[in-house]
């Protein structure tokens, strides 16, 4: 839910988006309705900057979430057999970045 109304950026800014940097960094906004579909976050993304829209039209459409979290270094195995070294807790969204290649892959994209 912390991604609701979060700023949309092109690439990840060096520092988290804040009230003193949003004018420089934001090109749009995430909508109010944020949900979950399996391991993915779903939301409406509104892009209002013409240069950012041009990048999307040219093919840059993957998305990557910018957030802070607490890391719990506990190894384990998921129900479907994937091993992990840590668990992220208390994830708080800061922004959603339009990127060439997101860590979550091409499933996380505008128009996905």
């Amino acid at each position: 839910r912390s991604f609701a109304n979060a700023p949309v950026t092109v690439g990840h800014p060096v520092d988290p988006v804040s009230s003193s940097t949003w004018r420089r960094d934001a090109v749009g906004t995430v909508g109010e309705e944020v949900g979950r579909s399996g391991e993915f976050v779903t939301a409406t993304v509104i892009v209002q900057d013409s240069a950012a829209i041009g990048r999307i039209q040219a093919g840059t459409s993957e998305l990557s979430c910018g957030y802070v979290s607490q890391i719990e270094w506990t190894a384990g195995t998921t129900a479907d057999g994937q091993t992990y070294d840590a668990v992220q807790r208390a994830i708080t969204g800061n922004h959603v970045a339009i990127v060439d290649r997101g860590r979550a892959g091409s499933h996380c994209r505008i128009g996905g």
Side-chain angles (χ1 to χ4, degrees):
R1 297 233 169 253
S2 61
F3 285 102
N5 300 309
V8 174
T9 63
V10 173
H12 288 288
V14 174
D15 297 311
V17 180
S18 67
S19 60
S20 51
T21 65
W22 74 265
R23 189 178 297 258
R24 177 191 70 208
D25 296 332
V27 297
T29 308
V30 175
E32 288 185 18
E33 297 295 322
V34 176
R36 186 173 180 165
S37 177
E39 61 187 64
F40 298 104
V41 173
T42 60
T44 299
V45 173
I46 302 161
V47 178
Q48 298 163 304
D49 178 80
S50 63
I53 292 167
R55 288 183 67 136
I56 293 165
Q57 291 171 332
T60 300
S61 63
E62 290 190 20
L63 299 172
S64 180
C65 293
Y67 56 90
V68 294
S69 68
Q70 295 174 356
I71 306 293
E72 182 181 299
W73 293 100
T74 304
T77 304
T78 64
D80 63 351
Q82 295 183 36
T83 59
Y84 58 86
D85 297 317
V87 177
Q88 291 180 307
R89 303 217 187 269
I91 297 170
T92 303
N94 176 262
H95 65 276
V96 174
I98 301 166
V99 295
D100 291 321
R101 292 198 173 273
R103 284 183 306 178
S106 62
H107 295 297
C108 295
R109 67 185 183 278
I110 293 174

